Amino acid sequence: MNLKRIHTDAVSSSLINFLKDTLAPNSLEWLFLQEGRPYTSSVTTDAIYRGPLRRHKASLKKLMIDSTDRIPDGRAAANNRWKKWIFNREVLNFVTSGKMSSLRELGMAVDYRDWHFFLQRLPTIPHLRSLYIPYISNYIHLDPRELALQMVDIIALRPEVDICYIGIFSKCFEVLENKHFDERHTSHDASTNAANAGPGGVDVDDHPESDDEDDEEIDEEEEDPNEATAPTTAADPEETESDASSVISEFEDDENGTEEDKQRPRLRLREILFYDDKVSIFKARHGRL
């Protein structure tokens, strides 16, 4: 059976057994399990984990497990039914173990006590592009943007993490990257600078110093021929060598720091609307099949 995608709001034990025992291993690519109001599922998170998740770990590209109770217009009902399928520490450990190497989109609810555990393991799933977390259990009024910024901190430290879209609660964010401009290219013409600039361009200070300032500096450096030259004393060789070494060391430290800052990507977080047309888990969050 060549079945690649499953999206259902009637998750039964028979379906879980079918996905586990009937389909060929690592053949399922999309798995969207949601819970509709007419049907109350008795399937547990552990059954989903030990069934289709482990069976199709290498082939799953898009995964969303959501037990949110929704009213007919698609809005979430004011109850705690979404807690039924929270990803516990064991499931999170499996998802971030590197075994799900094809995973590109992930939607799940988590417990806040496992939040930092998940953040620490983000580098093990660098191929993930979109993340949707509709609920976090046991959190204390955290701002969605603050949670997204915590992810951006991880991405900044580990550039191999490729997350681009982050949906948390009812907010959606896009992670953008602007590369620092390298001053070694300032001698190139304007067309070269524009070609090497990032998406938003680079502001370069092309205004040279005024001729008056140059003339003043030259005048200050010229010696007055009528002025007597003050006698000089011989410098202490050890003191001179020490001062020179200190200056060279400080210069090298400043130069190295500057080069490191130029090479490090600068990230920013932009709040956007959910890209339902680009990201499948965002479109599926409405609960409509």
Side-chain angles (χ1 to χ4, degrees), residues 30 66 70 77 106 112 114 160 165 184 219 227 231 267:
W30 292 24
D66 178 23
R70 301 187 180 277
L106 174 63
Y112 184 67
D114 297 324
E160 68 270 21
Y165 301 110
R184 290 175 296 179
D219 293 340
E227 184 178 352
L267 302 179

Side-chain angles (χ1 to χ4, degrees), residues 132-134 144 167-173 271-274 285:
Y132 177 49
I133 302 180
I168 300 182
F169 308 154
S170 60
K171 300 290 185 178
C172 187
F173 305 94
E271 183 174 349
I272 60 174
L273 298 176
F274 280 91
R285 80 187 195 280

Side-chain angles (χ1 to χ4, degrees), residues 270-281:
R270 182 180 69 169
E271 183 174 349
I272 60 174
L273 298 176
F274 280 91
Y275 282 158
D276 291 354
D277 56 336
K278 292 184 178 180
V279 183
S280 301
I281 57 174

Side-chain angles (χ1 to χ4, degrees), residues 152 155-156 158-164 174-180 197-201 263-270:
V152 173
I155 299 172
R158 301 294 296 270
E160 68 270 21
V161 179
D162 206 21
I163 292 180
C164 184
E174 182 180 13
V175 180
L176 300 174
E177 177 180 313
N178 292 332
K179 293 190 178 297
H180 286 287
Q263 295 175 3
R264 182 182 297 116
R266 183 177 61 221
L267 302 179
R268 62 188 177 95
L269 194 67
R270 182 180 69 169

Side-chain angles (χ1 to χ4, degrees), residues 11 33-34 41 43 45 65-67 82-87:
V11 183
L33 301 182
Q34 295 177 292
S41 176
V43 173
T45 307
I65 309 298
D66 178 23
S67 60
W82 56 269
K83 291 184 176 181
K84 179 189 295 186
W85 289 340
I86 282 183
F87 277 22

Side-chain angles (χ1 to χ4, degrees), residues 208-222:
E209 295 181 358
S210 64
D211 295 337
D212 294 339
E213 292 178 351
D214 292 341
D215 294 340
E216 290 178 2
E217 292 180 358
I218 295 174
D219 293 340
E220 290 177 358
E221 294 176 358
E222 292 180 350

Side-chain angles (χ1 to χ4, degrees), residues 143-205:
D143 180 49
R145 186 177 185 86
E146 178 62 29
L147 296 172
L149 285 173
Q150 293 178 18
M151 291 190 182
V152 173
D153 290 340
I154 301 297
I155 299 172
L157 293 174
R158 301 294 296 270
E160 68 270 21
V161 179
D162 206 21
I163 292 180
C164 184
Y165 301 110
I166 303 172
I168 300 182
F169 308 154
S170 60
K171 300 290 185 178
C172 187
F173 305 94
E174 182 180 13
V175 180
L176 300 174
E177 177 180 313
N178 292 332
K179 293 190 178 297
H180 286 287
F181 183 71
D182 193 339
E183 292 180 356
R184 290 175 296 179
H185 298 297
T186 54
S187 60
H188 290 188
D189 56 26
S191 62
T192 303
N193 287 337
N196 291 334
V202 179
D203 294 329
V204 182
D205 185 6

